[in-house]
Amino acid sequence: MAKLVFGMNQSLDGYVDHMGFGPDPVLFQYFVDQARSLTGSLYGRRLYEIMSYWDDEHPEWDEARRDFAAAWRGCPKWVVSRSLTSVGPNASLLEGDLATAVRALKDRHDGVIEVGGPDLARSLTKLGLIDEYKIYLHPVVLGEGAPFFAGSKPKLRLVDSTRIGNEVVRLTYVPA
């Protein structure tokens, strides 16, 4: 059975914003390696549309970005959306009741399926389907934006804290 893991970069004040800050080279390489190891990715519509940037080649990319794009393209993606009618390569729309569809997805696969997007994570947290939360805590204060925990306030237990690079700490939690 696959494990659902919700992880995102987060500011010190609890917000996620891909435009407000990003990974340094060490953390970016960590994400490349992580993408290579995933069973798949489960996205909400908004984050899937942002991440689909990696489907296209960009001549200005360095080697690390090309490596991430290759890993991302090779990873199966499932997209939860009521408005999309189609998705890009190696992606499919997850249909039907969310709880039933995600449970079936977990049952059909082994390994780690990452959950992308705080809104989708909120819904899956309410359903008790997320097995692990990974916060990549950056030394940035945004003051506003989308919160990592969008509405849900799950009881959690810290199981690991690891420094990645010079500035980021990965905090790993499981439901208590």
Side-chain angles (χ1 to χ4, degrees):
M1 173 179 278
K3 176 168 67 167
L4 282 187
V5 176
F6 173 53
M8 292 191 80
N9 292 304
Q10 177 183 296
S11 65
L12 288 175
D13 53 347
Y15 297 108
V16 297
D17 182 350
H18 74 282
M19 299 302 286
F21 58 93
D24 67 10
V26 173
L27 183 59
F28 193 81
Q29 184 59 51
Y30 171 88
F31 288 142
V32 171
D33 296 339
Q34 177 186 349
R36 287 181 179 138
S37 71
L38 291 172
T39 296
S41 297
L42 178 61
Y43 289 113
R45 179 194 54 82
R46 275 179 260 165
L47 189 58
Y48 172 73
E49 288 176 337
I50 290 168
M51 293 298 292
S52 65
Y53 162 84
W54 298 101
D55 275 333
D56 300 319
E57 289 294 327
H58 296 267
E60 71 279 7
W61 281 349
D62 59 13
E63 183 179 347
R65 280 163 181 68
R66 285 191 298 275
D67 287 348
F68 181 82
W72 191 81
R73 290 175 192 149
C75 185
K77 291 164 276 300
W78 301 277
V79 182
V80 176
S81 174
R82 289 189 278 284
S83 60
L84 292 177
T85 56
S86 66
V87 289
N90 208 12
S92 57
L93 288 167
L94 200 64
E95 297 179 353
D97 173 70
L98 180 63
T100 303
V102 171
R103 282 187 186 103
L105 189 65
K106 287 177 72 170
D107 286 345
R108 282 194 314 269
H109 298 280
D110 292 317
V112 173
I113 297 173
E114 73 170 348
V115 174
D119 292 333
L120 176 59
R122 176 186 61 226
S123 297
L124 296 174
T125 296
K126 283 182 185 176
L127 295 168
L129 293 173
I130 295 186
D131 301 297
E132 193 172 271
Y133 299 84
K134 291 187 183 224
I135 296 171
Y136 298 88
L137 193 60
H138 291 253
V140 175
V141 176
L142 295 177
E144 64 183 3
F148 183 91
F149 289 104
S152 301
K153 295 179 180 66
K155 291 186 181 231
L156 301 174
R157 180 173 52 87
L158 179 68
V159 295
D160 184 54
S161 61
T162 302
R163 187 176 181 155
I164 302 174
N166 291 324
E167 297 186 338
V168 173
V169 175
R170 183 192 66 213
L171 302 170
T172 304
Y173 294 90
V174 296

